[in-house]
Amino acid sequence: MAEQIPNHYDENQIQVLEGLEAVRKRPGMYIGTTSSRGLHHLVYEIVDNAIDEALAGYCESIIVTLHTDNSVSVQDNGRGIPAGIHPKMGIPTLEVVYTVLHAGGKFGGEGYKIAGGLHGVGASVVNALSEWVELDNCYEGERYTERFERGKVARAFAHIGSSEGKHGLYVRFKPDADIFEETVFDYTTVLNRLREQAFLNAGVKIILRDERGAQIVSEAVETPQDGEQEKNPSDSAPSISAPTIGKEEVTLCYEGGIRSFVEHLNNVRRLAMIHPDVIYMRGEKNDSIAEVAMQYNDSYNENVMSFANNMHTIEGGTHETGFKMALTTVLNDYARKHGILKADDKNLTGEDTREGLCAVISVKLTDAQFESQTKAKLGNSEMRTLVASMVTEKLTEYLEENPSSAKQILEKSLAASRAREAARKARELTRRKSVLEGSTLPGKLADCQERRVELTELYLVEGDSAGGSAKSGRDSKFQAILPLRGKVLNVEKSRLDKVYTNLSLIPIIQALGCGIGEEFDINKLRYGKIILMADADVDGSHIRILLLTFFFRHMRQLIDDGHIYLAQPPLYKITKGKQIRYAFSDAERDAAIAELGGNVEAERYKGLGEMDAEQLWDTTMNPETRTLLKVNIEDAMACDETFSVLMGDKVEPRREFIEQNAVYATNLDI
Ligand code: 1YM
């Protein structure tokens, strides 16, 4: 190849290296974060390129493999990347794709009309942030390889012979441990993302292999599901803690596309449907396509997910508002026309029409504009009209043609509307009562002196005796204590009106000050950190899950904005004479015993109540010495699922979940 490379190779090479060096210096600018989320982003970036090739019609299967050395490979059976020298850059095109910033397939190619991708990251960013990248490219019957280390060519692009009938690109890379805080891939995270992509791109086959579990997974169990075949399942808990290892092989392929997505979302939550079929709509205008799939279940939750060019628009945007507007209008019009809403009845609100709704909105457009800081909100106004007019037409048609489904859906919305009215009354009653009592703060709250919210902490403490110790042990300057009375209401099984009138929740709502549901206002939050402090036993876990479910469903932003923490009380106290050590695990206990040597006493704390004020301060509340776990929702989808399964009405799936995950329960954070 050498003689084909023109002279300006050198100067281009300098520019390229400077570009990749910039990525290594400021990785956050290109992938948002160097946390686990950023790490996984690298895989998605390469997979997106393979999916583009599949959408262009040249590739039918994509294999993603998690290797034991923490590297990952992605292989497609598309055309492969053109093998020639790039006319402008004077280096092999393959090398351009992997070393030139923002090149990533979006230049010149006919098949790449639809551009998506967070921060416009491409293969070159993956290369810059990897310890090494190996490429094996089969293009037009010939095979080529190249290797990079930290973005630099380590083994030159080379033609190594015939491709022996194979075609497509194989990429294997190992993320650089100097860059990433976390370098172990989480199987569940990768699986969820690949599954989502398989749903969004109907018919594309994605295979996920995890070689890391091969040693520990031995028995094959057959549990084929619709569109998903698994070999060797070793079910992994959707946990907030350690990375999960997965099945040896899972195949994801859904001919039903987003219809199957909605079925899946409802099924994994083990929800009962209120009408038999998924409603599916599709519309096109100019170069844009909009699709919606929806079905109502009997829960009280709303689960509307939207995507633009296969990117999850977590903050919604025009396509989502178009959908919501049209849904509300169509249901109100239908209800008026058929006398379900009488002349003096108020209209259904948007929230009423979305109770129990599971919907997926997917739009594909040429010139997607993303707004907001995280670029997760679609801004193109033409998408609002496209989705709204499609939903107005197609949903009206569906309701007229399926009167019994229509009846079920409207009954659900009406019930939601009545509950909302009851909730409003309950809320007013609570407010009036607190006005009469002269204070909006609950009686049991021991407040702190500090008024600057970002400096304050509220401990929600299980039980009056632990509450007492916490009150005496705290630093009352910035720490407030609210002892919880009895079991917290399971909000997964209750409508809003019940939540407002629940005696276990009212003090929490009042202490936080930020309201709830429609009235929620983060600016009124009275504490920067809300710390759940419960025993390290089964009852304690139950209270933690109930509280987290409450925050997740009714004050979600507290979790999203990182206000919710879990206190970590020690499990053991090890004493030798006057020396005291605390241990937070069995291993730490053993280490402490070894350190102190002979004649030690190790006692297991049965509950927080056993600790006196000073011990509680030293181990669990003193910012200098305590450990707090921040509750963050990396994967809202998996989390939502877990809450539905764990806290829903159906006992059987909960029992199944607990049995399947029992081994993980000891290190499950919630
Ligand atoms: C495992 C990741 O990147 N596959 C892939 C990438 C490309 C092509 C095919 C491709 C695109 C085009 C023409 C085109 C890319 N090519 C380019 C570039 N899999 C993976 N498969 N021929 C092949 O866009 O017209 C960038 S990406 F720049 F060479 F065209």
Side-chain angles (χ1 to χ4, degrees):
M1 300 292 327
E3 69 276 17
Q4 293 180 20
I5 297 174
N7 290 340
H8 57 279
Y9 181 79
D10 280 350
E11 60 202 67
N12 278 329
Q13 193 60 12
I14 289 166
Q15 275 176 16
V16 161
L17 289 177
E18 280 172 352
L20 294 192
E21 208 37 55
V23 179
R24 289 180 62 81
K25 269 209 188 103
R26 288 209 166 76
M29 294 233 324
Y30 299 85
I31 53 164
T33 158
T34 54
S35 67
S36 171
R37 188 196 304 223
L39 175 82
H40 289 83
H41 207 85
L42 302 184
V43 187
Y44 310 156
E45 219 36 73
I46 302 297
V47 170
D48 284 354
N49 289 346
I51 287 177
D52 281 346
E53 183 67 356
L55 292 181
Y58 299 102
C59 151
E60 68 265 0
S61 81
I62 299 165
I63 304 172
V64 179
T65 308
L66 305 175
H67 299 280
T68 48
D69 61 355
N70 283 339
S71 70
V72 58
S73 61
V74 183
Q75 174 166 31
D76 69 43
N77 65 350
R79 289 166 293 177
I81 291 186
I85 298 297
H86 190 268
K88 279 210 195 88
M89 299 299 294
I91 56 174
T93 304
L94 179 73
E95 196 172 307
V96 173
V97 175
Y98 274 79
T99 57
V100 179
L101 278 178
H102 303 303
K106 274 101 198 177
F107 61 97
E110 266 300 291
Y112 289 88
K113 283 221 180 87
I114 293 167
L118 196 65
H119 307 296
V121 178
S124 59
V125 172
V126 174
N127 188 16
L129 302 177
S130 292
E131 190 185 312
W132 51 260
V133 174
E134 274 287 343
L135 301 176
D136 191 335
N137 184 36
C138 292
Y139 181 79
E140 292 188 345
E142 304 298 324
R143 187 166 169 190
Y144 308 85
T145 64
E146 180 156 9
R147 181 184 169 91
F148 303 90
E149 287 172 11
R150 300 197 159 91
K152 294 182 181 135
V153 177
R155 201 184 61 243
F157 178 77
H159 174 220
I160 59 163
S162 153
S163 75
E164 288 161 354
K166 282 204 282 189
H167 48 94
L169 180 64
Y170 173 90
V171 182
R172 179 166 171 176
F173 64 94
K174 183 172 182 193
D176 193 341
D178 293 348
I179 305 267
F180 291 95
E181 292 153 36
E182 169 68 64
T183 51
V184 181
F185 288 102
D186 179 67
Y187 172 78
T188 311
T189 306
V190 176
L191 174 66
N192 282 333
R193 166 71 187 219
L194 295 182
R195 189 192 282 121
E196 176 189 292
Q197 292 300 313
F199 282 128
L200 292 168
N201 301 289
V204 174
K205 183 159 107 185
I206 305 178
I207 297 168
L208 174 60
R209 294 184 179 146
D210 194 339
E211 292 182 343
R212 302 169 304 173
Q215 304 97 319
I216 58 163
V217 179
S218 51
E219 241 173 279
V221 185
E222 290 296 319
T223 51
Q225 259 188 8
D226 165 46
E228 197 163 325
Q229 287 132 32
E230 300 174 350
K231 262 175 31 189
N232 281 347
S234 73
D235 248 299
S236 36
S239 90
I240 311 179
S241 50
T244 51
I245 289 178
K247 284 117 192 150
E248 203 168 85
E249 184 171 304
V250 184
T251 302
L252 307 158
C253 182
Y254 304 95
E255 297 298 339
I258 62 168
R259 265 166 294 207
S260 311
F261 201 169
V262 167
E263 274 167 17
H264 169 85
L265 290 170
N266 279 326
N267 277 339
V268 289
R269 289 171 177 72
R270 326 284 169 114
L271 296 165
M273 299 313 125
I274 67 161
H275 58 100
D277 42 346
V278 176
I279 307 169
Y280 175 78
M281 301 162 248
R282 188 189 149 96
E284 277 181 48
K285 194 174 180 192
N286 304 329
D287 269 350
S288 305
I289 303 168
E291 285 179 286
V292 171
M294 58 185 269
Q295 189 172 21
Y296 285 87
N297 57 58
D298 69 352
S299 80
Y300 305 127
N301 300 318
E302 166 186 341
N303 188 7
V304 176
M305 297 174 80
S306 63
F307 298 84
N309 292 345
N310 296 336
M311 252 190 49
H312 189 179
T313 36
I314 300 166
E315 293 172 64
T318 50
H319 51 341
E320 201 172 306
T321 43
F323 167 74
K324 290 178 176 173
M325 275 163 35
L327 176 69
T328 313
T329 313
V330 168
L331 291 188
N332 273 304
D333 288 355
Y334 184 91
R336 295 274 171 211
K337 184 175 163 199
H338 292 81
I340 301 167
L341 279 177
K342 304 283 180 314
D344 46 357
D345 285 338
K346 279 196 196 134
N347 263 357
L348 301 165
T349 67
E351 287 199 359
D352 297 339
T353 65
R354 297 193 300 273
E355 185 184 282
L357 173 66
C358 176
V360 173
I361 306 156
S362 170
V363 296
K364 299 205 170 124
L365 64 165
T366 25
D367 181 28
Q369 307 286 325
F370 293 100
E371 290 174 358
S372 87
Q373 227 174 5
T374 54
K375 301 271 173 229
K377 186 173 181 185
L378 186 70
N380 302 59
S381 61
E382 71 275 14
M383 285 301 114
R384 191 180 307 112
T385 10
L386 172 56
V387 176
S389 62
M390 170 189 86
V391 171
T392 306
E393 184 193 332
K394 301 274 165 69
L395 186 60
T396 306
E397 200 177 292
Y398 174 90
L399 296 175
E400 295 297 349
E401 284 170 9
N402 298 274
S404 78
S405 294
K407 184 163 168 264
Q408 298 298 321
I409 293 170
L410 280 146
E411 269 172 16
K412 177 84 172 142
S413 299
L414 280 173
S417 164
R418 285 185 212 111
R420 187 172 46 78
E421 191 56 23
R424 194 181 55 77
K425 290 199 178 120
R427 206 158 52 210
E428 267 169 21
L429 212 67
T430 323
R431 210 181 281 138
R432 217 172 306 143
K433 229 167 77 192
S434 51
V435 170
L436 288 179
E437 283 161 1
S439 158
T440 45
L441 291 175
K444 288 208 168 189
L445 175 76
D447 212 352
C448 57
Q449 292 138 20
E450 178 61 62
R451 285 284 155 260
R452 283 168 294 176
V453 172
E454 63 281 10
L455 301 178
T456 61
E457 303 179 344
L458 173 66
Y459 277 82
L460 299 178
V461 187
E462 171 194 6
D464 280 336
S465 84
S469 298
K471 279 183 190 176
S472 340
R474 69 178 173 145
D475 182 340
S476 62
K477 225 192 275 155
F478 68 99
Q479 291 179 319
I481 310 291
L482 181 65
L484 301 176
R485 48 201 283 184
K487 278 269 173 227
V488 173
L489 177 77
N490 180 356
V491 299
E492 200 68 24
K493 291 185 193 164
S494 340
R495 273 213 174 95
L496 259 185
D497 51 334
K498 278 234 197 104
V499 174
Y500 285 124
T501 48
N502 183 266
L503 291 178
S504 65
L505 295 175
I506 290 174
I508 302 176
I509 302 171
Q510 289 175 332
L512 294 179
C514 54
I516 168 172
E518 286 168 52
E519 289 197 334
F520 181 88
D521 180 359
I522 193 84
N523 297 314
K524 295 198 179 138
L525 181 64
R526 300 182 61 250
Y527 305 94
K529 288 194 175 78
I530 298 134
I531 303 168
L532 317 188
M533 187 156 76
D535 289 342
D537 59 8
V538 179
D539 280 345
S541 307
H542 194 205
I543 290 180
R544 271 190 293 275
I545 294 208
L546 290 167
L547 285 170
L548 287 176
T549 309
F550 169 63
F551 291 129
F552 183 76
R553 293 290 179 213
H554 297 287
M555 300 187 179
R556 170 70 186 273
Q557 203 184 342
L558 293 184
I559 302 182
D560 291 339
D561 292 358
H563 291 290
I564 309 285
Y565 293 81
L566 304 177
Q568 295 289 287
L571 289 177
Y572 298 99
K573 177 182 172 187
I574 301 105
T575 23
K576 182 186 181 185
K578 285 207 169 115
Q579 287 176 286
I580 302 177
R581 296 279 183 283
Y582 298 101
F584 294 83
S585 66
D586 289 3
E588 276 185 36
R589 175 200 55 192
D590 297 343
I593 294 175
E595 186 205 324
L596 293 174
N599 226 356
V600 295
E601 199 187 322
E603 70 176 296
R604 191 185 163 103
Y605 283 117
K606 285 187 205 73
L608 292 164
E610 280 182 20
M611 269 184 264
D612 64 28
E614 196 187 337
Q615 288 171 338
L616 200 57
W617 166 257
D618 284 344
T619 59
T620 319
M621 298 179 74
N622 179 357
E624 306 278 311
T625 49
R626 73 185 177 193
T627 316
L628 289 183
L629 287 183
K630 189 192 257 189
V631 177
N632 65 3
I633 299 181
E634 285 279 2
D635 188 345
M637 196 161 86
C639 197
D640 193 343
E641 248 168 69
T642 311
F643 280 118
S644 298
V645 174
L646 282 179
M647 308 312 285
D649 311 301
K650 310 211 172 36
V651 177
E652 187 55 21
R654 182 159 56 238
R655 195 181 57 76
E656 259 172 50
F657 181 93
I658 292 169
E659 279 174 8
Q660 279 173 12
N661 296 299
V663 262
Y664 295 89
T666 47
N667 55 26
L668 200 67
D669 289 342
I670 50 175

